[in-house]
Amino acid sequence: MKAGILTNDCEIGLGSAPDPQIKPDEILVQSQFAGICGTDHHIYLGEFHNRVRFPAILGHEFGGVVVEVGKEVRGFRVGDRVAVDPILWCGSCPACLTGHHNACQTLKLLGVDLDGGYGQYVAAPASHAYLLPESIPMRHAPMVEMYGLGNHVLRRGHVELGETVVILGAGKLGLSVLDVLCHSAGPVTSVVADLQPFRLEVARKLGAEHAINILEQDPLAYVMELTGGVGADVVIECVGHYHLPAGQEPPLAQAVKMIRNGGRIVTAGLGEQLTPVHFKTLVIKEAEIIATRVTQGEFPRAIKMMAKGLLHPELLITEQQPLREIGEAFAKVDRADPQTIKVVLDVQDA
């Protein structure tokens, strides 16, 4: 098969790889579309040497068509359209045994630790595949994982009706969280902060009531004024690597100050920078910092919302390129063009 293969840091291109062979409990998926995620970019830059071995076939956000079914598999047949949850857990570590399988001690992901959706065929456990209704275009299949993340982040934050929710960062993840928030959680006051006008405009189209350009306004001052000095119920940090305007603190430090007493902070960004946090403020408020990682069974929720037309993947997918141009696609992501949000690859166009 043809595949997008990472051969070294910042070196990815079209190559050939053996067709995968499935186990009795697996299905063989002909990958149709795969997304380039922030994690894929971090791997490309060389930040996952402890997990990723060259040559590697990345792509953990993907969907496709079933072309072979293992002899023990029930519920799937050749021709089915599916999205694949890439998370593989052990089932026996303390995290798994307490229902926290997305924090499995030996967690592996298709497209990170194992070959993924940048290959034209992927062997996947049938238990991790979900049928895609015809109402969801296959080009949108990579967004199932992103919207699963959006659902998981909001569940981790225990977001309730009528709350004021601030999202710091309007990248792929922040906007996916916003899309789910605005179209599932009921009436909330939604605030998004970023430094890119294009992404803030997308946030407004998705339903954000307040979109703050941090180069023009201090998000902490804005939120405190908006809430009458009380603070937000929930602050969701989706920035990761940050670039700070003069005089502003890092996102997580801002979150501690802008949260209300007894509020919740959800941190989802994967930045490498160390962030100073004023823990005395956190203690006095008895606020919570809640980490969130990948998904925990939210694929069905995401698929239902997409099938009903509640979400807006076309606003987030700003680029589509053929697999044969995977090197150019990653270079585009690396350039961090502010008008590029989500890039998807047409895997069969090699």
Side-chain angles (χ1 to χ4, degrees), residues 71-307:
K71 62 182 180 181
E72 296 178 3
V73 172
R74 302 291 181 269
F76 291 98
R77 58 186 179 183
V78 172
D80 283 343
R81 308 165 77 250
V82 295
V84 177
D85 184 342
I87 301 168
L88 308 178
W89 58 89
C90 73
S92 59
C93 72
C96 288
L97 291 174
T98 54
H100 221 105
H101 62 252
N102 60 321
C104 171
Q105 191 171 336
T106 57
L107 187 75
K108 290 181 170 51
L109 269 72
L110 296 173
V112 178
D113 309 279
L114 303 168
D115 289 347
Y118 297 166
Q120 292 187 314
Y121 296 95
V122 184
S127 57
H128 288 51
Y130 296 89
L131 293 171
L132 278 181
E134 291 291 338
S135 59
I136 300 177
M138 190 58 75
R139 156 185 162 93
H140 293 172
M143 290 302 298
V144 173
E145 203 264 354
M146 290 301 302
Y147 287 132
L149 287 173
N151 272 281
H152 185 62
V153 167
L154 296 175
R155 289 179 66 194
R156 290 286 290 161
H158 307 291
V159 174
E160 298 180 4
L161 299 178
E163 291 193 315
T164 296
V165 180
V166 178
I167 298 173
L168 302 178
K172 296 178 282 292
L173 177 58
L175 292 174
S176 297
V177 173
L178 176 69
D179 205 359
V180 176
L181 173 70
C182 289
H183 303 98
S184 68
V188 298
T189 300
S190 52
V191 182
V192 176
D194 200 281
L195 49 71
Q196 299 293 353
F198 174 76
R199 296 182 179 190
L200 290 170
E201 183 56 33
V202 173
R204 292 185 188 96
K205 291 177 180 178
L206 291 174
E209 295 179 58
H210 304 268
I212 308 166
N213 189 323
I214 66 172
L215 297 179
E216 300 171 357
Q217 294 175 293
D218 181 348
L220 174 59
Y222 188 100
V223 169
M224 297 312 291
E225 182 178 354
L226 176 68
T227 59
V230 172
D233 298 287
V234 183
V235 178
I236 302 171
E237 182 273 307
C238 295
V239 179
H241 293 290
Y242 52 79
H243 303 279
L244 295 177
Q248 291 188 23
E249 293 185 86
L252 193 58
Q254 288 184 23
V256 170
K257 292 184 176 180
M258 70 171 58
I259 201 72
R260 66 165 171 81
N261 286 23
R264 289 96 65 203
I265 299 165
V266 184
T267 179
L270 286 176
E272 294 292 334
Q273 297 128 312
L274 297 177
T275 297
V277 170
H278 196 254
F279 276 94
K280 183 177 179 180
T281 301
L282 188 73
V283 170
I284 290 172
K285 292 183 175 182
E286 200 181 48
E288 298 177 71
I289 296 181
I290 304 164
T292 179
R293 182 188 187 191
V294 293
T295 59
Q296 193 178 26
E298 288 89 0
F299 268 49
R301 292 182 181 216
I303 290 170
K304 286 178 183 178
M305 294 184 73
M306 293 173 72

